[in-house]
Amino acid sequence: MKRVNEKELQHMLDMAYEAMAHAYTPYSGFQVGACLKAASGRYYLGCNIENAAYSPTNCAERTAVFKAVYEGERSFDAIAIVCSGNSPAFPCGVCRQVLSEFCGPEMPVLCANAHRESVLCTLGELLPHSFGREDLEK
Ligand code: THU
């Protein structure tokens, strides 16, 4: 995993806000955007995409991960996540698990609210004792 500096994280926040503008949220009205940086140096953007049946809704983080994996990416350096709410949007449990498939516990996760107030943490802090492929081999 390559290090991502503060300037780059701020640039990723900008892109995450742009991604948030693509959100499809007729049910919750709550928009989320994500910017995922791959080890290749490319950025993948995602938004939440809701559904009338509710449970098929896809979070912004998973949209970004799935786009990237489809394109052949398998490892990532950082993710920035923004939302339209007053509190920074931390990834939901399902998204933490999906991120852990491809991202190490040291990966920076920058979460921000609608006013650009942000909290920086790592994936390992968000998902300690995660279940991974190594557990299947035990
Ligand atoms: N949402 C995300 O996009 N990411 C998260 O990690 C939490 C929740 C979306 C799903 C739904 O469209 C809306 O936020 C309200 O739950």
Side-chain angles (χ1 to χ4, degrees):
M1 194 182 78
K2 293 182 213 86
R3 281 194 179 279
V4 178
N5 64 29
E6 180 58 29
K7 191 174 170 229
E8 181 152 32
L9 284 173
Q10 291 304 318
H11 179 47
M12 289 177 65
L13 266 193
D14 292 337
M15 288 188 277
Y17 283 112
E18 284 173 27
M20 189 171 80
H22 295 253
Y24 175 74
T25 60
Y27 306 105
S28 74
F30 186 81
Q31 284 103 40
V32 184
C35 174
L36 180 65
K37 186 181 184 198
S40 66
R42 287 184 62 185
Y43 297 103
Y44 293 87
L45 305 183
C47 63
N48 51 335
I49 302 167
E50 297 187 344
N51 188 278
Y54 295 176
S55 63
T57 291
N58 208 56
C59 292
E61 299 90 321
R62 275 177 287 147
T63 303
V65 171
F66 295 153
K67 281 173 67 182
V69 172
Y70 175 81
E71 295 294 338
E73 307 286 2
R74 293 293 185 272
S75 66
F76 301 95
D77 292 344
I79 188 167
I81 304 158
V82 304
C83 73
S84 56
N86 286 318
S87 306
F90 290 97
C92 77
V94 172
C95 289
R96 293 177 198 202
Q97 181 65 28
V98 168
L99 286 165
S100 78
E101 182 71 25
F102 301 103
C103 312
E106 302 308 318
M107 189 184 78
V109 180
L110 182 63
C111 305
N113 65 5
H115 316 294
R116 213 183 169 98
E117 292 158 348
S118 62
V119 178
L120 181 61
C121 55
T122 65
L123 185 59
E125 288 169 338
L126 294 173
L127 190 67
H129 309 293
S130 64
F131 183 88
R133 64 162 63 207
E134 61 286 354
D135 296 297
L136 295 171
E137 288 154 11
K138 282 175 191 159

